Amino acid sequence: MKDGREVTVLEVLGDGDEFYVEYALPDKDDCEFFSVSPDQIEKITWHSST
């Protein structure tokens, strides 16, 4: 994200005007879930696993 956090996009909401993301909390075994707008995202890197 533009604020320096690295998040995982879990779902694209609406017509792509919002993303539901997961943010792994550093130094904790926990995470936060929240929605962000596309203008808050610096870049998207695609990863796929099989």
Side-chain angles (χ1 to χ4, degrees):
M1 294 183 48
K2 290 183 179 176
D3 64 6
R5 293 180 289 178
E6 186 172 314
V7 299
T8 301
V9 175
L10 301 174
E11 187 175 351
V12 178
L13 305 173
D15 292 326
D17 56 345
E18 196 171 15
F19 297 92
Y20 188 62
V21 300
E22 175 184 15
Y23 173 61
L25 296 169
D27 304 325
K28 294 184 180 178
D29 190 24
D30 201 5
C31 58
E32 293 181 341
F33 299 93
F34 52 93
S35 297
V36 297
S37 64
D39 62 330
Q40 292 176 280
I41 297 176
E42 184 173 332
K43 71 177 181 177
I44 295 177
T45 304
W46 175 260
H47 291 277
S48 177
S49 60
T50 56

